[in-house]
Amino acid sequence: QVRLVESGGGLVQPGGSLRVSCAASGVISSSINSMGWYRQASGKQRELVARINSSGNTNYGDSVKGRFTISRDNAKNTMYLEMNNLRPEDTAVYYCNVIAWGLISWGQGTQVTVSS
């Protein structure tokens, strides 16, 4: 029912910035309890990057605190992740996640590569 489409990934140099987006359909913003970003690097487990709930409260993984910022636009049913001071270790597929009606939905992911 809920469809999530990520976009904005690409290649960026170390120290650079990038913003990825997640557009949600099949659900209204008032029904979304929280939205988040997870990432999975090659050969590693998927890990939490950031989450934001309906009140605007945020939670970040330790490795991205102070560098990444999560936000949402309820009118557009879209979530964003602004990534600053990127490091090669940030290279991964970034996945959008939504919790609505107690159910979990995932997007297909967008590749972010940090390299010189």
Side-chain angles (χ1 to χ4, degrees):
Q1 180 183 356
V2 180
R3 179 175 172 80
L4 307 174
V5 180
E6 301 96 333
S7 62
L11 176 65
V12 62
Q13 296 186 73
S17 299
L18 201 65
R19 188 177 79 160
V20 292
S21 302
C22 173
S25 61
V27 62
I28 58 176
S29 60
S30 60
S31 296
I32 299 176
N33 297 115
S34 68
M35 308 178 72
W37 290 96
Y38 291 73
R39 68 186 183 187
Q40 187 167 22
S42 180
K44 299 183 67 177
Q45 294 185 345
R46 190 171 299 185
E47 65 177 354
L48 169 71
V49 177
R51 292 202 71 82
I52 184 168
N53 66 15
S54 59
S55 298
N57 298 126
T58 58
N59 179 249
Y60 295 91
D62 289 339
S63 64
V64 307
K65 288 180 179 177
R67 298 189 298 121
F68 292 10
T69 302
I70 188 171
S71 63
R72 60 186 291 180
D73 186 331
N74 290 339
K76 295 182 178 180
N77 245 18
T78 301
M79 174 180 62
Y80 307 94
L81 180 69
E82 182 183 359
M83 300 178 285
N84 299 310
N85 192 208
L86 284 161
R87 307 164 180 169
E89 306 87 77
D90 295 318
T91 296
V93 177
Y94 284 70
Y95 296 93
C96 178
N97 168 271
V98 164
I99 299 177
W101 308 293
L103 302 177
I104 302 173
S105 300
W106 292 94
Q108 296 296 312
T110 185
Q111 176 71 47
V112 173
T113 301
V114 184
S115 176
S116 59

